[in-house]
Amino acid sequence: MILSPVSIRGNYFYRDNRPFIPIGAHWVPAKTGLQWPLQWDKDDIEAAFVKMQDLGFNTVRFDLFWAWFEPRPGDYNPEAFQQFDVFVQLAHKYEIYLHPTFFIGGEVGEAFWDVPWRQGRHPHGDHEMLRLQTNHAAEFARRYNGEAAVLAWALTDEPPYWLVADQTTDAMAINWTRLIAGAIRRYDPGHILCVGTSMEDVSHGPFRPDNIAAEVDFFS
């Protein structure tokens, strides 16, 4: 089975010119938890896809740990991308779309978000950090341009402005989103983009939908 591309028109997803409803969950392996990139077991990963298919999933959301894909600034880990290629192969085999999330640290959500080489720099305000994040997103866009197994790229999950509490302004959030989305659209214009907002962002955080809706296609 080769998955068909999914697009978004207005408020609806479409596949093969018919409405498509993503059904799934955020995936964390039962055995290895968030250590799965370091304790890689392809058989266990495939068993998870078998179970997801059995449960009726057609989509799976999961984290792309930034420090694993980019252990040093601008130095990308080939092993990490080989693992992602396995996800792509399994997606087609089991008819389950991928919804990968960028810029995640060592915990689902915000608890341990970071990379060891940030060295106190503001992730939404420091020029070098912005350049590195933009390049990171562009690297995925170049490698997986048009890959139908990817339902949508999530720019991040619960934008980690808590790292620099009270320092991320609305303008910084808009600029960050515009840069990351722009880098992806430059090399991979066909894919859908979203941001996984946290609850505080809905009403008062700098990554509020009213701030960044123009840059992405949907929120989750």
Side-chain angles (χ1 to χ4, degrees), residues 189-200:
H191 269 122
I192 304 165
L193 303 183
C194 87
V195 171
T197 50
S198 54
M199 288 308 297
E200 59 264 32

Side-chain angles (χ1 to χ4, degrees), residues 1-5 15 88 91-92 94-98 148-150:
M1 174 68 184
I2 299 297
L3 291 168
S4 300
R15 180 180 66 181
V88 170
H92 287 293
Y94 293 100
E95 301 180 50
I96 297 173
Y97 287 95
L98 309 177
V150 175

